[in-house]
Amino acid sequence: MTAQESSSIATLPVMGEMAHQTYPSATLYVVATPIGNVTDISLRALHVLSLVNAVACEDTRNTAQLMTRFGLHKPLIAAHQHNEREVAETLIARLQAGERIALVSDAGTPAVSDPGARIVDAVRAAGLRVLPLPGASAAVTALSASGLVNDQFYFVGFLPAKAKQRENFLGTLRAVTATMVFYEAPHRILDCATALAAVFEPERQVVFARELTKMFEEIHRCPLSEAEAWIRADAHREKGEFVVLLAGAPAAEDEQDVEAERILKILLTECSVKQAANLAALITGHKKNALYDRALQLKGDE
């Protein structure tokens, strides 16, 4: 981006709108930060980070670097998984004094497989306001580029590190019909692929999303039976942070659909296709057009 283009962005009408928005005091702002590409941060996030009295963060070094890149300098408070409860008390006292505090993780949305949930819970329990600023999320980013067609997804997060615990846990997910979303560290990605292949059907589609939004981003989709070989084919594929998506189990035939078809078959022995569909719709509450199409299929199979 040239200096002229940067200046043009700063003068856009939308930039002035932020100054007219409300940013209440005594509020914890949960701020999503980039998962790789630093320019994915939102304009609103930058504005709030410039307003707050302090930033509670997973790693003060990482957050200091991020803030510096945008010319921001605020007091930083370490808030990681080992001290969340203690830090919550400090933050609550500061919020009760009327301060604005931002909560960030090293990357993505806080409290989603990252520290922050206990802090948010404690702040809410204290009767204080929590205001979320949406932004980058590795799970949603990977889903959007996966091509796995499913209206539902099941966020699993990190799998157990030990092999037996991992295998037992995956066994509980065999019947999940939603797309499953896992996070995995690079040194365990091969173990993850092996474990998935041992538990689920080989034809299931799996997506490996590596280093999302970064220079060496790679998104690969294949049958589960080919997953381990793909990782082994290139040593670089065991580097970087991973989101792993696994297609859900085929949906079991709904009991109500089974009953509707049973009724339809009985009616077809005595009625025309149209009459059978109409009566079956009245009895079951299913859509008449769908029952009519199915009745035609059943008649054609005779």
Side-chain angles (χ1 to χ4, degrees), residues 60-72:
T60 56
R61 293 165 300 179
N62 290 341
T63 299
Q65 291 176 3
L66 176 68
M67 300 280 284
T68 299
R69 295 181 75 174
F70 291 104
L72 298 172

Side-chain angles (χ1 to χ4, degrees), residues 269-292:
T269 62
E270 301 293 335
C271 307
S272 67
V273 167
K274 184 176 181 180
Q275 289 174 321
N278 288 343
L279 289 171
L282 289 172
I283 295 168
T284 65
H286 281 50
K287 292 183 178 180
K288 182 167 60 178
N289 289 343
L291 289 168
Y292 181 81

Side-chain angles (χ1 to χ4, degrees), residues 5-6 25 28 38 47 65 68 78 81 85 105 108 125 127 131 143 159 161 172-173 184 209 226 231 261 265 291:
E5 288 170 330
S6 178
S25 58
L28 179 72
V38 70
H47 188 61
Q65 291 176 3
T68 299
Q81 62 178 337
R85 295 191 186 279
S105 64
L131 200 157
L143 278 165
L159 290 169
T172 68
L173 303 177
E184 195 53 270
E226 300 174 9
I231 294 171
E261 180 150 335
K265 287 179 178 179
L291 289 168

